């Protein structure tokens, strides 16, 4: 158990970490929690890293892609349903997300569960969107559900790694694979890089697309620490 002074020193050290370091703490702790059910996500270190990461994500979401012209029901659906699926056909001639009455170019379906089955029982909302509302809406949705999307990616990767290790060792019982072996395999693979690069692409595309003055690309914020202090 840390003393109060030790906890203060740890908190002070964490506040000087770069965004990159905070992000890695955040993701690695989530991976560990998925693999072995540990409670690292309850530590002050993780809580601080999580605050830094999600505050930055929320800042991009609220300052760049939230639209004042969206109808409340569209934004509510974006917030409520974590799964976004593109559809191949249009159901309406005009954008249903905003008041602009611009032509619709895309149909999207939102759902509380991940499914490729587009029957009415398996999606919760459907919208026909103009090109700008589609781009902004998709990015907003990715940012709003960023943590759940990262967690799902970790869970999917853990399952793939477990199956790979079982195959490599000729095992039939998944319980025969140690949690440490799964964690190390995930750390040694390109998975961490893929998570970091996903965030870089998401935010860099966002900043470049909207040409936002004063906003930095992620290669820049990944070496910044002062603005991320808690």
């Amino acid at each position: 158990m840390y003393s109060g002074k030790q906890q203060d020193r740890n908190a002070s050290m964490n506040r000087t970490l770069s965004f990159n370091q905070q992000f890695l703490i955040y993701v690695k702790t989530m991976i560990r929690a998925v693999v072995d059910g540990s409670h690292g996500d309850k530590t002050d270190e993780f809580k601080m890293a999580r605050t830094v990461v999600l505050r930055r994500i929320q800042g991009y979401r609220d300052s760049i892609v939230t639209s004042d012209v969206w109808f409340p029901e569209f934004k509510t659906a974006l917030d409520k349903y974590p799964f976004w699926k593109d559809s191949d056909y249009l159901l309406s001639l005009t954008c249903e997300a905003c008041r602009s009455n611009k032509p619709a170019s895309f149909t999207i379906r939102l759902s509380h569960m991940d499914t490729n089955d587009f029957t009415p029982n398996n999606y919760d909302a459907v919208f026909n969107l103009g090109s700008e509302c589609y781009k902004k809406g998709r990015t907003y949705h990715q940012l709003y559900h960023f943590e759940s999307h990262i967690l799902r990616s970790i869970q999917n990767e853990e399952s793939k790694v477990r199956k790979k290790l079982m195959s490599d060792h000729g095992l039939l019982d998944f319980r025969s694979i140690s949690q440490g072996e799964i964690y190390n395999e995930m750390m040694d693979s390109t998975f961490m890089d893929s998570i970091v690069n996903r965030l870089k692409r998401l935010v860099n595309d966002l900043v470049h697309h909207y040409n936002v003055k004063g906003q930095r690309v992620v290669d820049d914020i990944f070496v910044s620490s002062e603005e991320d202090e808690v």
Side-chain angles (χ1 to χ4, degrees):
M1 182 69 68
Y2 290 123
S3 67
K5 291 184 178 179
Q6 286 175 313
Q7 290 176 331
D8 290 342
R9 281 197 296 271
N10 290 341
S12 178
M13 290 177 62
N14 282 350
R15 283 194 290 267
T16 65
L17 297 177
S18 69
F19 181 84
N20 182 49
Q21 291 168 311
Q22 299 280 24
F23 186 70
L24 292 179
I25 290 171
Y26 170 73
V27 176
K28 286 180 179 179
T29 305
M30 291 176 69
I31 290 174
R32 176 67 75 180
V34 168
V35 170
D36 61 18
S38 66
H39 296 289
D41 56 344
K42 307 299 182 185
T43 65
D44 290 339
E45 180 184 49
F46 174 76
K47 290 177 181 177
M48 185 170 295
R50 181 176 185 266
T51 296
V52 167
V53 170
L54 296 188
R55 185 171 63 187
R56 178 57 63 89
I57 296 298
Q58 180 181 351
Y60 280 112
R61 185 191 77 212
D62 293 345
S63 64
I64 302 177
V65 291
T66 301
S67 176
D68 293 334
V69 300
W70 284 344
F71 291 123
E73 54 268 28
F74 177 63
K75 184 176 180 300
T76 297
L78 290 179
D79 293 351
K80 185 175 182 180
Y81 303 117
F83 295 100
W84 167 302
K85 295 289 185 181
D86 291 334
S87 182
D88 294 332
Y89 55 90
L90 289 174
L91 300 176
S92 174
L93 296 178
T94 59
C95 179
E96 298 174 329
C98 69
R99 304 173 178 84
S100 66
N101 289 321
K102 291 184 177 180
S105 305
F106 303 90
T107 297
I108 66 149
R109 301 175 191 270
L110 302 171
S111 175
H112 67 282
M113 60 182 180
D114 193 9
T115 179
N116 289 318
D117 183 355
F118 284 160
T119 58
N121 290 337
N122 286 328
Y123 63 85
D124 299 284
V126 58
F127 293 94
N128 299 282
L129 306 178
S131 58
E132 189 64 21
C133 282
Y134 174 86
K135 292 174 184 176
K136 274 198 170 187
R138 186 175 181 84
T139 303
Y140 174 91
H141 188 263
Q142 290 174 315
L143 293 172
Y144 188 90
H145 297 283
F146 176 79
E147 186 166 63
S148 67
H149 290 175
I150 291 293
L151 179 59
R152 190 168 70 256
S153 294
I154 293 172
Q155 292 168 335
N156 291 340
E157 182 69 13
E158 190 271 348
S159 178
K160 287 193 295 185
V161 167
R162 187 184 294 273
K163 291 176 181 176
K164 175 183 179 296
L165 291 174
M166 287 175 61
S167 176
D168 290 348
H169 296 315
L171 300 172
L172 298 177
D173 188 347
F174 73 89
R175 291 169 295 186
S176 302
I177 303 297
S178 72
Q179 295 166 340
E181 192 173 3
I182 295 171
Y183 179 81
N184 290 336
E185 180 74 15
M186 292 179 72
M187 290 297 99
D188 292 340
S189 70
T190 59
F191 177 66
M192 284 294 298
D193 288 341
S194 72
I195 294 292
V196 171
N197 289 333
R198 181 193 301 182
L199 176 60
K200 285 185 177 183
R201 286 194 303 270
L202 175 62
V203 178
N204 289 346
D205 288 349
L206 174 65
V207 172
H208 290 146
H209 178 74
Y210 293 104
N211 194 25
V212 183
K213 294 181 179 179
Q215 293 286 0
R216 295 170 298 168
V217 296
V218 177
D219 285 331
D220 195 6
I221 69 170
F222 262 32
V223 296
S224 172
S225 60
E226 294 180 359
E227 294 185 12
D228 295 314
E229 291 190 2
V230 177

